[in-house]
Amino acid sequence: MNNFSDTKPGLYPTLPAAEPDTRVSDACESNSRDPHGINTHLQLHFYRVIGEPDRSAYSFELLHKGASKVYHYSKVIIYRFLTIFVGLPLMLIWGLIFGTYTFAMIWILTPVRRLSQSAISESGVYIQAICDAVIAPVFRAIGQRYSSIHTTISTRQLEAVKQIQV
């Protein structure tokens, strides 16, 4: 028995009527392979890619149904083929990359960051002491030196006269 529910008796079964794919890619589905919805932009169903806007641009019904099936099955077959021959090696590479990244973060970079934070915090105490002992008195003396300078703002307008020397 074949998979087509509305086949007619005869030599060749007819394809079922192509209907728009109404599957919802809900993250709450228990069998969802994209539970966080990171690839929702890749919903490339036939009716979202090929659209005949009005009756003047319609192809033959049988051709349209056949094209829908050819599109769907070729997309599935190519995807699965590439997943086996390209995806699995890529997953090995990505696994190695993310494994190395995780190892480096846990065993190298995080301890180095903690050490740097501790060293910077400790050096800050000494820098603060140096600033308080040396730099602050210098700037305080400079400030006292120039504290007797007073400025006033004048609202008087000055007229500039251009003179041409011959």
Side-chain angles (χ1 to χ4, degrees):
M1 184 164 177
N2 56 26
N3 295 335
F4 303 122
S5 60
D6 58 341
T7 58
K8 297 177 185 174
L11 189 56
Y12 299 105
T14 58
L15 295 173
E19 297 175 1
D21 195 355
T22 58
R23 290 180 288 180
V24 178
S25 61
D26 188 11
C28 298
E29 289 181 1
S30 61
N31 61 353
S32 176
R33 292 190 182 181
D34 188 12
H36 300 289
I38 59 174
N39 287 319
T40 56
H41 62 285
L42 292 176
Q43 295 179 355
L44 302 173
H45 304 295
F46 181 75
Y47 290 101
R48 293 184 182 173
V49 175
I50 305 295
E52 296 175 336
D54 58 19
R55 291 203 179 274
S56 67
Y58 282 5
S59 60
F60 295 111
E61 188 67 28
L62 184 62
L63 179 67
H64 189 69
K65 289 177 184 178
S68 171
K69 291 298 178 185
V70 167
Y71 174 83
H72 173 72
Y73 290 118
S74 63
K75 183 178 78 164
V76 168
I77 290 168
I78 292 296
Y79 176 76
R80 290 181 181 167
F81 175 79
L82 290 174
T83 300
I84 291 169
F85 292 107
V86 178
L88 290 177
L90 280 175
M91 286 305 102
L92 175 65
I93 292 168
W94 284 117
L96 292 172
I97 289 171
F98 280 110
T100 304
Y101 171 76
T102 304
F103 175 82
M105 287 301 295
I106 292 172
W107 294 100
I108 299 170
L109 298 174
T110 301
V112 167
R113 183 176 16 158
R114 294 286 184 180
L115 180 65
S116 299
Q117 287 173 341
S118 177
I120 289 170
S121 174
E122 187 64 28
S123 65
V125 172
Y126 298 112
I127 291 172
Q128 182 68 40
I130 291 170
C131 286
D132 289 344
V134 177
I135 297 174
V138 169
F139 279 97
R140 201 173 302 118
I142 292 171
Q144 286 178 348
R145 175 84 175 149
Y146 292 106
S147 65
S148 62
I149 297 175
H150 297 285
T151 59
T152 58
I153 298 175
S154 175
T155 58
R156 186 173 43 150
Q157 291 184 352
L158 297 175
E159 290 187 27
V161 177
K162 291 185 179 179
Q163 293 181 350
I164 301 175
Q165 294 181 351
V166 183

